[in-house]
Amino acid sequence: MILKKENFKPDKKIKPFIGILLFLVSIILAAVTIPLGFIYGIFYNLFTKGIKGIGEYCLKIAISIDQLGNVAMQHLINTLWITPLGYKFGNRDETISSALGRNKQLETLTSFGKFIDTILDKLDPNHSLNSIDYYIEPTDQIIDKLAWIHINNYQILSTRSKGRNKYYIPGGKREGEETDHVALLREIKEELNVDLLVKTLDFLGVFEAQADSHKPGTLVRMTCYFAEYTGRLQAASEIEEFVWLNYEDKEQVSEVDKIIFDYLHHEGLLK
């Protein structure tokens, strides 16, 4: 089971000298402790879980190495594998395969990047797409948002902000260290003047696409919840109006909302 992170904290600012010093110390410690720890880990898992335990242990190490490679090789990979408008490698919380999958979705892989992806697909079909990690901490290229999915008679509630032409599923960004639930309840209260019932919140999924009105390679990650509410729906704050949309209205919404529309339509919830 993968537990979703609900709190995102910004990186602490470190002086360059401290960063170099910590890097050297970590290299020394790794050279001494990793071989010993690895051997012990192999035997520990062998005697406690058998071959399955060794496989799980090795997979965790492989993922960690992949994350290290995403940071250590970011500049080289960004030059060779993706176009200048692609999603950048280098997030310390993400694997190389995950970032590769995001660029495959955005169609920003270079010929060499496509070649690497093809090789991985031969070993593991749809490897990079299946490796996309929606639970990594946001960066400048990932806009973290929450959305309330409310469906009535196979139509989905959507909103249009003042001065905009497109409709958006109601929700918004978290403030500070808000949890998903706190942020979503606040946003919906501000936008539609109703109170979501916390006990009815039901996680739907996480969806990702190119962010509207942002430079190419900037993604919006939408974490979606179903929920019941109390009160009467009213357009408030920056919201000009709220409407009920069908699946055929998909072209009137944002890129990430289109993906959500497709999913809901496939599940028979939106017609």
Side-chain angles (χ1 to χ4, degrees):
M1 179 180 180
I2 298 177
L3 299 178
K4 190 171 73 68
K5 299 176 182 177
E6 290 196 336
N7 292 314
F8 302 114
K9 298 180 180 180
D11 293 341
K12 294 180 179 179
K13 292 183 179 180
I14 299 177
K15 296 180 179 180
F17 175 75
I18 298 298
I20 295 173
L21 180 61
L22 290 176
F23 171 74
L24 295 175
V25 171
S26 66
I27 291 296
I28 295 173
L29 290 176
V32 175
T33 61
I34 287 181
L36 180 62
F38 176 72
I39 294 173
Y40 180 82
I42 290 292
F43 282 102
Y44 176 84
N45 282 281
L46 177 63
F47 288 111
T48 57
K49 298 181 180 180
I51 298 299
K52 178 182 177 182
I54 294 178
E56 293 174 346
Y57 178 58
C58 290
L59 178 59
K60 290 180 180 179
I61 294 175
I63 292 174
S64 296
I65 293 174
D66 204 348
Q67 290 172 318
L68 174 61
N70 191 38
V71 175
M73 299 190 296
Q74 60 181 295
H75 304 297
L76 179 62
I77 294 177
N78 285 334
T79 300
L80 298 178
W81 290 15
I82 62 174
T83 66
L85 300 180
Y87 172 80
K88 304 300 182 185
F89 290 78
N91 189 326
R92 69 183 185 185
D93 195 33
E94 186 174 22
T95 64
I96 292 176
S97 298
S98 172
L100 183 67
R102 282 188 160 96
N103 279 288
K104 184 174 184 178
Q105 283 186 327
L106 292 171
E107 298 182 349
T108 51
L109 292 174
T110 61
S111 297
F112 187 64
K114 293 177 181 178
F115 173 70
I116 296 297
D117 183 66
T118 300
I119 292 177
L120 292 174
D121 279 350
K122 295 291 184 181
L123 300 174
D124 178 27
N126 293 318
H127 175 80
S128 62
L129 294 178
N130 292 334
S131 297
I132 294 176
D133 184 358
Y134 294 113
Y135 305 133
I136 64 170
E137 293 192 20
T139 66
D140 291 339
Q141 283 193 286
I142 298 179
I143 301 172
D144 179 50
K145 299 186 71 175
L146 301 155
W148 175 36
I149 307 299
H150 185 52
I151 297 175
N152 184 25
N153 194 28
Y154 302 107
Q155 296 179 311
I156 186 170
L157 178 66
S158 297
T159 61
R160 183 177 62 82
S161 298
K162 295 177 181 178
R164 295 208 174 188
N165 296 320
K166 289 186 177 181
Y167 291 97
Y168 296 84
I169 296 173
K173 301 177 184 177
R174 71 182 79 243
E175 293 183 356
E177 298 181 9
E178 287 181 327
T179 63
D180 284 5
H181 295 179
V182 172
L184 187 58
L185 265 65
R186 175 185 52 74
E187 285 287 342
I188 298 306
K189 182 66 174 179
E190 292 175 358
E191 291 184 356
L192 295 168
N193 200 32
V194 296
D195 297 298
L196 298 186
L197 300 176
V198 177
K199 292 184 178 180
T200 68
L201 284 165
D202 185 17
F203 177 69
L204 169 65
V206 183
F207 304 85
E208 195 173 82
Q210 170 67 40
D212 287 348
S213 304
H214 287 77
K215 64 181 182 180
T218 301
L219 309 176
V220 58
R221 182 172 68 201
M222 194 81 82
T223 303
C224 300
Y225 290 88
F226 291 112
E228 299 299 323
Y229 71 95
T230 60
R232 185 170 68 89
L233 291 169
Q234 294 178 310
S237 187
E238 76 277 7
I239 301 302
E240 181 77 25
E241 64 172 335
F242 67 86
V243 295
W244 296 93
L245 299 181
N246 298 305
Y247 182 66
E248 63 185 19
D249 300 315
K250 188 177 74 168
E251 295 306 315
Q252 300 181 47
V253 302
S254 68
E255 292 303 312
V256 69
D257 285 4
K258 289 178 182 178
I259 296 176
I260 298 172
F261 272 45
D262 285 340
Y263 176 80
L264 294 172
H265 179 67
H266 180 267
E267 295 297 310
L269 299 174
L270 189 64
K271 294 184 179 179

